């Protein structure tokens, strides 16, 4: 079959990537979606069970740092769009192992950019109708004081963790490839995501799972840090909108104007999980355990997504409480998914990470 477009999605077996792959495969049967993923501890093909048989979907196991592989894929599938999500994504891991973050997030992005540039420049139409869309994070902007205005697209970069430093570096490379070589690029910076299929090392799935199993809930510091939360399917819809309607060389911030202190989220999770499990109200409050703060822990992230809302008409669809109800329901109903990933590397990681806290 002749497809209208051929899109390379990287990191499609991860949390956000799997939602993006699902959306594109189902919504655009006339597009060929090629998912390139290394299947690190965070990648899981079970996240894509419902689309793996689709005609217009191809999975390739491989590393974005492998330039020869990426270039060959671009040629073989005549790729005209890249949606780049593959990354090392957990701040705590970046503190323990910054080199892996520089390799994947910086060198991997560079390898993809160079492959796209060389392939597209070899075509008669060159960059016409092409797009390299890079998915980034609000963490590149650094920490916001409580009384400071939200991150906008022109807020200067000020990353603090090895994770955010690596993402900031990759964002700069993407913009440099546009400015230097003319590669059509877009960068988006999104706030914290939550929802089904998130690896349970991140706050929300980790705590849902721990409440269920009556394990301690390790709250860093005093739990006063603030994050701005967006339901993952709303992020995937934003990516769809921006991929199709965004302006080349532009940046869009994505967020739901939804700031929460960590400790308030923990209490909300306890309330919802206890209710859904049929426990007495407040039964799990005793699991809250204040532990040593994360090194360099950013106080607050908060995104101003006015530009995206006004220029492209995207808006979040879910209220946080509603999204948390759905998310808790999903994790409680999908214990098998959790068991499969919490039995291997994750258990080792968990023990290492928390043994001295
Ligand atoms: P994730 O850790 O759940 O998934 C990452 C995926 O990338 C995994 O499937 C993994 O196997 C794959 N991967 C890692 N290294 C690879 C490599 N070298 N080659 C090929 N594949 C590789 O991450 P996520 O939370 O879904 O985040 C996806 C993207 O969105 C990242 O770029 C992240 O920086 C960004 N982001 C995440 C959030 C969030 O709250 N999770 C918020 C804003 C932006
Ligand atoms: P996380 O989900 O790791 O996302 P990020 O660090 O990218 O924002 O953490 C969200 C917030 O929750 C962050 O302020 C750190 C805090 N946190 C805890 O207090 N305890 C935990 O066990 C984890 C994983 C996070």
């Amino acid at each position: 079959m002749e497809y209208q477009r051929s899109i390379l999605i990287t990191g499609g077996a991860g949390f956000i990537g799997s939602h993006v792959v699902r959306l594109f495969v189902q919504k655009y049967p006339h597009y060929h979606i090629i998912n390139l993923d290394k299947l690190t501890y965070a990648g899981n093909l079970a996240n894509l069970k419902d689309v793996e048989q689709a005609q217009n979907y191809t999975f390739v196991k491989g590393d974005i740092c492998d330039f020869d592989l990426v270039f060959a894929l671009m040629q073989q599938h005549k790729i005209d769009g890249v949606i780049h999500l593959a990354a090392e994504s957990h701040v705590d891991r970046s503190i323990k192992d910054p080199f892996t973050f520089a390799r994947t997030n910086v060198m991997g992005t560079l390898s993809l950019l160079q492959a796209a540039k060389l392939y597209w420049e070899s075509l008669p139409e060159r960059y016409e109708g092409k797009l390299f869309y890079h998915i980034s994070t609000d963490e590149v902007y650094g920490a916001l004081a409580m009384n400071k205005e939200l991150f906008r697209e022109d807020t200067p970069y000020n990353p603090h963790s090895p994770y955010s430093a690596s993402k900031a570096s990759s964002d700069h490379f993407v913009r440099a490839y546009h400015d230097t070589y003319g590669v059509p690029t877009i960068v988006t910076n999104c706030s914290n995501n939550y929802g089904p299929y998130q690896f349970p090392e991140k706050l929300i799935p980790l705590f849902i799972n721990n409440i269920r199993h009556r394990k301690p809930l390790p709250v860093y510091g005093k739990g006063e840090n603030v994050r701005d939360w967006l339901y993952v399917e709303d992020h995937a819809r934003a990516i769809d909108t921006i991929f199709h309607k965004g302006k080349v060389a532009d940046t869009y911030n994505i967020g739901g104007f939804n700031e929460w202190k960590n400790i308030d989220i923990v209490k909300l999770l306890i309330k919802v999980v206890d209710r859904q499990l049929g426990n007495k109200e407040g039964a799990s409050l005793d699991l809250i355990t204040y532990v040593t703060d994360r090194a360099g822990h950013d106080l607050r992230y908060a995104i101003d997504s006015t530009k995206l809302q006004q220029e492209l008409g995207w808006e979040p669809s879910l209220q946080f409480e509603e999204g948390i109800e759905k998310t808790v329901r999903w994790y409680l109903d999908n214990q098998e998914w959790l068991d499969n990933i919490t039995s291997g590397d994750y258990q080792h990681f968990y023990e290492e990470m928390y043994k001295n806290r």
Side-chain angles (χ1 to χ4, degrees):
M1 166 168 174
E2 194 61 30
Y3 288 104
Q4 202 184 85
R5 297 203 67 168
S6 201
I7 300 171
L8 179 67
I9 299 184
T10 70
F15 166 48
I16 302 171
S18 63
H19 289 274
V20 176
V21 166
R22 179 176 298 100
L23 178 67
F24 273 70
V25 166
Q26 292 178 342
K27 185 169 172 189
Y28 302 109
H30 47 296
Y31 290 1
H32 185 193
I33 304 302
I34 296 102
N35 171 15
L36 172 63
D37 196 298
K38 187 180 172 185
L39 298 182
T40 66
Y41 78 95
N44 185 354
L45 288 178
N47 299 358
L48 287 166
K49 270 255 158 298
D50 51 340
V51 293
E52 68 186 8
Q53 301 297 341
Q55 288 276 329
N56 63 331
Y57 172 66
T58 302
F59 173 70
V60 180
K61 182 174 188 303
D63 190 335
I64 54 167
C65 299
D66 182 347
F67 173 82
D68 293 341
L69 168 71
V70 176
F71 188 67
L73 282 176
M74 303 274 317
Q75 288 183 310
Q76 182 193 344
H77 295 291
K78 301 187 171 52
I79 300 293
D80 55 39
V82 176
I83 304 179
H84 173 35
L85 297 110
E88 290 292 337
S89 67
H90 188 39
V91 174
D92 293 327
R93 284 183 189 252
S94 81
I95 294 167
K96 292 198 151 217
D97 179 17
F99 284 86
T100 302
F101 281 68
R103 180 184 178 278
T104 294
N105 298 0
V106 185
M107 295 305 290
T109 301
L110 191 51
S111 146
L112 281 169
L113 282 165
Q114 182 68 3
K117 169 188 180 292
L118 290 185
Y119 172 59
W120 290 339
E121 281 181 350
S122 74
L123 302 173
E125 76 278 15
R126 289 173 63 90
Y127 291 126
E128 207 183 304
K130 310 294 187 292
L131 182 64
F132 188 105
Y133 178 176
H134 177 62
I135 309 299
S136 191
T137 166
D138 59 356
E139 306 194 21
V140 297
Y141 297 121
L144 262 184
M146 289 302 180
N147 57 355
K148 281 280 284 275
E149 287 185 7
L150 312 189
F151 297 135
R152 293 160 40 107
E153 286 77 2
D154 56 3
T155 301
Y157 276 27
N158 186 20
H160 297 295
S161 72
Y163 165 64
S164 54
S166 69
K167 290 297 289 186
S169 172
S170 65
D171 296 7
H172 291 318
F173 269 109
V174 173
R175 295 191 177 105
Y177 263 64
H178 172 267
D179 296 350
T180 308
Y181 308 111
V183 177
T185 59
I186 289 181
V187 177
T188 56
N189 299 85
C190 189
S191 61
N192 283 60
N193 285 217
Y194 71 100
Y197 301 112
Q198 186 167 31
F199 194 84
E201 62 186 352
K202 307 277 168 65
L203 179 78
I204 289 178
L206 174 71
F207 279 31
I208 294 172
N209 198 35
N210 283 12
I211 296 167
R212 179 179 202 152
H213 295 289
R214 286 219 39 85
K215 285 189 180 168
L217 308 176
V219 176
Y220 299 164
K222 295 188 180 134
E224 298 284 325
N225 303 65
V226 172
R227 297 291 182 266
D228 178 359
W229 294 90
L230 183 67
Y231 192 65
V232 63
E233 287 179 3
D234 282 334
H235 188 188
R237 278 195 308 104
I239 290 171
D240 178 21
T241 302
I242 293 162
F243 181 79
H244 289 96
K245 297 204 257 166
K247 216 165 86 213
V248 165
D250 224 336
T251 293
Y252 299 89
N253 279 355
I254 309 173
F257 294 103
N258 179 43
E259 291 183 57
W260 282 71
K261 254 189 216 168
N262 291 341
I263 191 63
D264 294 334
I265 295 192
V266 175
K267 288 179 182 159
L268 176 65
L269 288 174
I270 288 173
K271 188 168 128 201
V272 175
V273 177
D274 275 340
R275 178 165 35 71
Q276 290 197 16
L277 285 176
N279 296 338
K280 223 173 69 210
E281 191 174 340
S284 301
L285 280 168
D286 62 322
L287 298 176
I288 294 178
T289 310
Y290 291 93
V291 298
T292 316
D293 208 354
R294 172 186 278 173
H297 196 174
D298 286 333
L299 177 66
R300 174 178 170 232
Y301 304 136
I303 277 281
D304 182 346
S305 58
T306 307
K307 174 176 167 177
L308 172 60
Q309 302 201 5
Q310 287 184 349
E311 289 186 11
L312 303 185
W314 170 89
E315 34 181 65
S317 67
L318 275 188
Q319 289 296 316
F320 190 57
E321 284 84 346
E322 202 186 340
I324 287 291
E325 285 284 346
K326 274 177 75 154
T327 302
V328 169
R329 187 73 274 150
W330 189 86
Y331 284 98
L332 296 184
D333 287 349
N334 286 276
Q335 189 60 45
E336 202 186 314
W337 180 89
L338 271 169
D339 287 344
N340 282 338
I341 51 177
T342 54
S343 51
D345 174 54
Y346 170 77
Q347 194 56 35
H348 170 71
F349 161 77
Y350 185 87
E351 281 158 13
E352 278 289 302
M353 194 68 89
Y354 299 114
K355 71 181 168 200
N356 298 320
R357 289 171 180 268

